[in-house]
Every structure is written in C-alpha cells, then in structure tokens.
C-alpha cells in the first residue's frame, strides 16, 4: 500500500431501481466534504438484467462550474417529509393541525471555490433541481435539470430559475452572477 | 418461450426473481425441451475495489445493514432480501484513496 494511501469510508449511495440505463451515483464521505462517483450501467443480456458498477473514468454527466470570485454553495434538496396526521376531538374540531415539515441535510451541500468546478450527481432520485447561492449574495438560483430544451431564465424577484438539458454545464457568470447554460 | 417468475422464500421474506426460458434442444435432441432458469438480476463489480450492495432499507433502523460484499471482477445474482421493502439498490465501497484520484474532491 502506498504511503499516502488512506482508507476512506463513504456513505451508501442513494437507492436506484434496476430498470435500465446508465447513470452516476454519488458516495459522500461520512464526515468530510468529499464525494466519490460510481457509474451504474443496467443492460439486458438476453433475459437477464446486468447491473454493472464501475468507477467513472471520464467526466461525470454533470459538472457545476463557478466562474465568479465568490464561494458558491450548491444545495441539493434532500428532503424528508414528516407528516403528522390531523387529529380531531369528539366534536370534530381539530386538535392538531396537519404539519408538513422538511429538513435539508448537511450532506447535500457542496461548496465550490471561486473559478473552479466540481463533478455532480444526484443524491436522491426524484429531486431534479439544485439551489445555488453565492457568498455575500442573498439571491438563490434554483436550477432545474431536464432532458428538454433549456427554457429561458425567469427572474421572479430574487429567485431565478433555469431549466437545463441533460449534461449541460451550469455557469455562474462573474459579471452578472446569473447562471447561464 | 420466456417467462418471469417470482418466489417468496418459505424461510423468510426474500424474493427470488427468475426468468424461465424454454426451448428445444439442438440437433438430435430437438424433441427434448430445455428449461433454463436464470436470475432476473446480476450485479457485476468493475470498480477495481471491493463493493458492497444492499436493498434500500425501509426505515432508518435498517441503516446499519452492512449489505453484501462483492469483489472486483465478480458477478453474482441479485435477489431482494425483503419482499416488502423498497425495490431499490444501494452501493457503497471501502477503498484506499491516493492523491491522484481526481474523483475525490474537497
């Protein structure tokens, strides 16, 4: 073993259905802000679905690039809904109102130093957007990933939306601070 | 003829999914039918590391499930340990990282 080799233990990836296709899964380090990516390819071999897990040797499908001089924080919503069912008294009046609370987990946050980029993969299937925020800027950029043609960037007040085609880069423009594709 | 079949283990909650292929044997044995039972899923490790895999736990109580180990280059059939669980798979690896591993970033 190399002198600098260190054992690294990562969390489990998110769950994926063995339905077919090729995608990357992300393994986050248990305590540090490190990630590792594995590529999962599911193909039919005759009648059998073969799930091949490999180390991605080329670029992952997404990269997020920070072209600003500020630290960029990427938050991938990894929400967990905790629902409490509404209870009613004998008269039918609600005792406890229905509560839908969610919490974001620290594990879903990445920080991209100025003028650099990081590989990106989804922590959770079904959540196909990220929120980007620059240090010192109160605006949050909500970026939606989609296989469709990118839509125009909408800027409703301080929240800005962009829809990206699969595999596109997200560039944060240094001059305007806006995400471009 | 091909057919998918499911079998829930009598010994627990495992779900075995297999595909059945029935075909005539070739040549002189053409009047003989051959029945092939194959696993529906096979998982293959091509990571050059030891891989672990498991069925996605239903609750946080299953978070400590160590799953199953799979050596590099190994292929094995995959079956669902819990018939009532999520039909999703998780993977994890324990490996030694070097400075040149560009995939790991801070």
């Amino acid at each position: 073993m190399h002198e600098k080799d260190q054992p690294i233990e990562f969390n489990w990836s998110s769950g994926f259905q063995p339905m077919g296709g090729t995608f990357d899964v992300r393994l986050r380090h248990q305590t540090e802000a490190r990630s590792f990516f594995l590529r999962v390819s599911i193909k039919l071999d005759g009648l059998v679905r073969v799930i091949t897990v490999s180390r991605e040797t080329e670029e992952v499908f997404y990269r997020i690039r920070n072209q600003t001089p500020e630290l960029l924080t990427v938050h991938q919503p990894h929400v967990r809904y905790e629902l409490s069912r509404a209870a009613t008294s004998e008269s039918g009046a609600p005792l406890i109102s229905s509560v839908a609370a969610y919490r974001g987990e620290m594990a879903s946050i990445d920080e991209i130093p100025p003028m650099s980029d990081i590989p990106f993969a989804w922590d959770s299937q079904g959540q196909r957007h990220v929120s980007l925020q620059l240090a010192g800027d109160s605006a949050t950029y909500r970026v939606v990933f989609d296989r469709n043609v990118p839509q125009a960037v909408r800027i409703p007040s301080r929240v800005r939306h962009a829809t990206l085609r699969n595999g596109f880069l997200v560039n944060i423009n240094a001059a305007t601070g806006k995400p471009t594709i | 003829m091909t057919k998918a079949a499911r079998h829930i283990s009598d010994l627990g909650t495992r779900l075995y999914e297999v595909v059945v292929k029935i075909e005539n044997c070739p040549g002189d044995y053409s009047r003989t039918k051959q029945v092939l039972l194959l696993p529906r899923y096979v998982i293959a490790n091509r990571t050059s590391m030891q891989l672990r895999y498991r069925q996605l736990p239903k609750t946080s109580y299953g978070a400590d499930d160590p799953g199953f180990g799979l050596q590099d280059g190994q292929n094995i059939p995959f079956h669902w340990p819990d018939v009532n669980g999520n039909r999703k798979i998780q993977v994890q690896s324990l490996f030694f990282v070097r400075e040149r591993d560009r995939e790991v970033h801070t």
Side-chain angles (χ1 to χ4, degrees):
Chain A
M1 189 171 64
H2 192 278
E3 185 180 357
K4 291 181 179 178
D5 290 353
Q6 295 293 327
I8 304 282
E9 190 156 355
F10 287 84
N11 286 324
W12 288 91
S13 73
S14 60
F16 57 86
Q17 293 178 313
M19 297 301 290
T22 300
F23 50 89
D24 293 323
V25 293
R26 181 177 202 158
L27 311 182
R28 289 181 180 268
H29 191 275
Q30 291 183 343
T31 57
E32 300 174 14
R34 292 181 171 189
S35 293
F36 187 78
F37 295 85
L38 294 175
R39 180 151 297 171
V40 178
S41 174
I42 303 170
K43 294 179 180 174
L44 270 177
D45 180 7
L47 302 169
V48 179
R49 288 185 185 179
V50 180
I51 304 161
T52 303
V53 184
S54 60
R55 292 177 71 164
E56 57 88 10
T57 55
E58 300 173 356
E59 296 294 339
V60 292
F61 293 142
Y62 296 111
R63 297 188 74 85
I64 297 182
R65 177 180 300 160
N66 178 12
Q67 293 184 314
T68 76
E70 306 293 339
L71 181 71
L72 178 67
T73 302
V74 181
H75 179 238
Q76 184 180 157
H78 190 62
V79 297
R80 176 179 301 171
Y81 287 91
E82 297 173 352
L83 296 170
S84 64
R85 186 168 297 175
T88 55
S89 66
E90 291 181 354
S91 65
L95 294 175
I96 306 171
S97 61
S98 180
V99 176
Y102 76 91
R103 60 186 179 87
E105 296 183 358
M106 291 300 291
S108 64
I109 293 178
D110 292 297
E111 291 185 338
I112 311 177
M115 311 305 292
S116 61
D117 58 32
I118 64 166
F120 178 80
W122 300 105
D123 280 322
S124 175
Q125 287 185 329
Q127 300 286 345
R128 306 295 287 177
H129 65 270
V130 294
S131 295
L132 311 177
Q133 187 163 29
L134 286 168
D137 185 355
S138 59
T140 297
Y141 306 92
R142 179 182 159 92
V143 181
V144 180
F145 288 71
D146 197 344
R147 292 180 185 277
N148 299 325
V149 175
Q151 298 174 356
V153 176
R154 296 190 296 120
I155 308 177
S157 66
R158 287 181 163 275
V159 182
R160 306 167 192 195
H161 297 256
T163 300
L164 304 186
R165 193 162 59 191
N166 189 23
F168 270 65
L169 291 173
V170 183
N171 295 311
I172 306 300
N173 185 279
T176 65
K178 293 180 181 177
T180 57
I181 49 182
Chain B
M1 184 184 80
T2 61
K3 188 176 180 181
R6 293 180 173 182
H7 173 67
I8 300 172
S9 167
D10 295 333
L11 301 176
T13 61
R14 287 179 68 87
L15 172 66
Y16 295 92
E17 288 192 85
V18 298
V19 288
V20 183
K21 184 177 184 182
I22 303 172
E23 58 189 12
N24 290 329
C25 290
D28 294 342
Y29 303 99
S30 61
R31 291 196 296 175
T32 300
K33 288 194 183 298
Q34 174 177 254
V35 181
L36 286 172
L37 296 177
L38 303 166
R40 187 172 188 191
Y41 304 108
V42 167
I43 187 164
N45 181 3
R46 299 289 181 272
T47 63
S48 71
M49 304 172 293
Q50 183 176 353
L51 192 71
R52 301 198 69 80
Y53 66 96
R54 70 181 184 184
Q55 183 176 7
L56 178 67
K58 270 192 300 190
T59 66
S60 58
Y61 296 111
D64 295 332
D65 177 7
F68 305 96
L70 190 62
Q71 298 295 328
D72 179 39
Q74 196 177 9
N75 307 339
I76 62 169
F78 174 83
H79 297 288
W80 301 105
D82 182 0
V83 66
N84 297 314
N86 297 301
R87 299 291 167 79
K88 290 184 176 179
I89 298 171
Q90 286 182 294
V91 292
Q92 186 198 46
S93 64
L94 173 64
F95 66 102
F96 294 91
V97 66
R98 296 175 183 173
E99 286 187 349
R100 68 166 185 263
D101 285 333
R102 66 176 178 78
E103 294 88 353
V104 176
H105 63 88
T106 57

